[in-house]
Amino acid sequence: MDCKVKDLSLADFGRKELDIASHEMPGLMAVRRRYAGEKPLKGLKITGSLHMTIQTACLIETLAELGAQVRWASCNIFSTQDHAAAAIAARGIPVFAWKGETLEEYWDCTYRALTFPDGSGPDQIVDDGGDATLLIHWGVKGEEDPSFLTRKGESEEEEVILALLRRVAEKDPGHWHKVASHVRGVSEETTTGVHRLIRMAENGELLFPAINVNDSVTKSKFDNIYGCRHSLTDGIKRALDVLLAGKEAVVCGYGDVGKGCAEALLNERARVTVTEIDPICALQACMAGLRVSTVEDMLPVGDVYVTATGNCHIITAEHMMKMKDQAIVCNIGHFDNEIEVARLKAVPGIKITSIKGSECPVQKFTFPDGHSIYLLAEGRLVNLGCATGHPNFVMSCSFSNQTLAQIKIAKENLEKKVYFLPKELDEEVARLHLAHFNARLTELTQEQADYIGVRKEGPYKAENYRY
Ligand code: NAD
Ligand code: 3DD
């Protein structure tokens, strides 16, 4: 079969959980029903690079139901749920993903998801963090300037990517120009992936149109906040089953994800401190009754550290050298560069003990002075590395937006820039989820619509929505 998964015999279990998920993903199911007849994605090849979970399997089946030919890989080496991948493979959709991939395997899976049986690439891409988009862009750069592929990578992962691209260049020179020329567009799931797209667009390097799904309100103000509120402590508890009440927790970054994380830890009755660079977010944390300080200030007392910035070098090796004995360090940001794992491993005399394997990675690092810290998911996003990520309902909001974005790319000839989805669609996604809570909207009268200066049928919040 044109797939690579851990264990196909898990397909039945995956199917059972997919059936459960369909009842908890009302928006995605409604979008699927609305467009199943029209099949707006008919004849289109779609590649996905997005955590291969039960919820993503529902998205994949929706895209297939709308007519697409789909191939899929995960966007993280630890986030695949093997029974979800098995269920998708069992119905004949090519998927290349398993929990605990090596970096070489991960990038080979991404390449295979981008390569259809006739050797062609996708018409459209669903990306989460931008790795599929990056592989195409670096491939094109290498075809324009072969020295780009023979340079020294800045990390182990870059070396893996460059080695893969050199192999492809040898096998099929000009492959990536052909692939890039056929891509109609990419819909990007997450904050960090959007940052990458915006930088490429600003530098005039964007090779195809992009839709910023993350900044639909019904994505980032739900998935990033309420999804992390649900799944952060799930990951920490599955990793170490530690009591969080009364502990000093440090959340680095108080954006959407950080807000969800802080609330989750407060719900566990931890004492939460936030670190921030942005005065507005810092002030929000103060107004939420949280202490705002720095990582350095918290080192003598911090018990649990969570990075949620989308930035790099947040928790350094020097920080971890000075942490309390038995401190717990984890990341929930998209990439694994928020915690300096490579430099931690290079500390002279460090002793590394694996507590749990790739099912829920937990490592103990013991320093020469005898104190130890615990690192979860090898510094990769802990909610998907040590738990199952966000629940169905929250991902229904995100993936309703993803599906609508893919339909937009299919129907419109977009320019090579980064688009938002219109506010009307955002409110429609919200509407599709209200019935699940027996919520009833109030009807706006024409007089009231005129009074606040909106159309009777919406959109309603004229200004940018701020949490
Ligand atoms: P955001 O931009 O809303 O928030 C990031 C915050 O970090 C900002 O307030 C920023 O001021 C702050 N920050 C940046 N550098 C900092 C530093 N050096 N020290 C302290 N604070 C700093 O982004 P977000 O939507 O909250 O996403 C954060 C990360 O989480 C991104 O990588 C995103 O892709 C990822 N994400 C992960 C999940 C998940 O399920 N694991 C879900 C959604 C998003
Ligand atoms: N993400 C969190 N939980 C997820 C799940 N159960 N399935 C798929 C993806 C999941 C990550 C998303 O929050 C993604 O939108 C992001 O990283 O922003």
Side-chain angles (χ1 to χ4, degrees), residues 25 50-57 75 79 81 127-129 188-192 213-214 219-220 223-224 227-228 231 257 332-334 381 383-384 388-392 394-395 398-399 402:
M25 300 184 87
L50 201 160
H51 309 287
M52 187 56 247
T53 64
I54 286 291
Q55 295 70 38
T56 299
C75 62
S79 61
Q81 291 156 24
D127 222 344
D128 185 337
E188 172 55 51
E189 174 80 1
T190 199
T191 320
T192 291
V213 168
N214 183 72
K219 195 278 173 179
S220 47
D223 174 316
N224 303 25
C228 292
S231 59
V257 170
I332 198 166
H334 185 78
L381 60 196
N383 60 328
L384 284 152
T388 57
H390 303 341
N392 296 312
V394 157
M395 295 315 298
S398 302
F399 291 164
Q402 272 291 0

Side-chain angles (χ1 to χ4, degrees), residues 161-381:
I161 300 168
L162 295 172
L164 168 65
L165 289 174
R166 289 193 293 269
R167 288 197 300 276
V168 175
E170 206 168 302
K171 185 173 63 170
D172 183 0
H175 171 75
W176 295 109
H177 273 79
K178 283 184 290 210
V179 169
S181 65
H182 283 90
V183 176
R184 296 180 55 81
V186 58
S187 53
E188 172 55 51
E189 174 80 1
T190 199
T191 320
T192 291
V194 167
H195 291 167
R196 277 182 162 181
L197 288 169
I198 290 170
R199 269 201 303 277
M200 282 195 278
E202 284 169 350
N203 297 337
E205 294 169 351
L206 200 55
L207 296 175
F208 36 77
I211 295 183
N212 169 359
V213 168
N214 183 72
D215 287 302
S216 291
V217 173
T218 49
K219 195 278 173 179
S220 47
K221 305 303 177 196
F222 290 79
D223 174 316
N224 303 25
I225 298 175
Y226 307 127
C228 292
R229 183 178 69 181
H230 176 100
S231 59
L232 168 72
T233 44
D234 188 5
I236 296 173
K237 291 178 185 179
R238 291 189 200 211
L240 286 168
D241 202 10
V242 62
L243 177 77
L244 292 167
K247 299 288 177 62
E248 287 286 356
V250 181
V251 177
C252 302
Y254 196 68
D256 292 328
V257 170
K259 287 178 174 75
C261 293
E263 195 175 340
L265 291 160
L266 284 172
N267 289 343
E268 292 290 333
R269 301 298 184 273
R271 285 199 293 272
V272 179
T273 296
V274 160
T275 76
E276 252 296 345
I277 57 166
D278 176 325
I280 295 173
C281 292
L283 189 59
Q284 286 180 314
C286 296
M287 300 306 283
L290 304 174
R291 184 194 303 127
V292 177
S293 187
T294 65
V295 172
E296 291 77 13
D297 285 356
M298 294 306 292
L299 292 176
V301 295
D303 298 301
V304 182
Y305 296 81
V306 181
T307 57
T309 67
N311 206 336
C312 56
H313 309 301
I314 304 302
I315 300 277
T316 65
E318 289 74 19
H319 287 149
M320 291 180 274
M321 282 181 212
K322 297 170 188 164
M323 282 181 183
K324 272 175 71 174
D325 185 31
Q326 306 297 302
I328 298 165
V329 182
C330 65
N331 164 56
I332 198 166
H334 185 78
F335 284 123
D336 64 335
N337 55 359
E338 301 212 27
I339 301 167
E340 291 187 343
V341 179
R343 292 193 63 236
L344 170 65
K345 289 177 178 175
V347 169
I350 195 87
K351 180 168 170 282
I352 306 173
T353 311
S354 175
I355 307 295
K356 291 183 182 176
S358 64
E359 276 312 301
C360 178
V362 178
Q363 297 164 299
K364 182 167 84 167
F365 289 79
T366 304
F367 295 88
D369 67 1
H371 89 277
S372 300
I373 61 122
Y374 297 96
L375 176 68
L376 310 188
E378 297 184 11
R380 290 175 167 81
L381 60 196

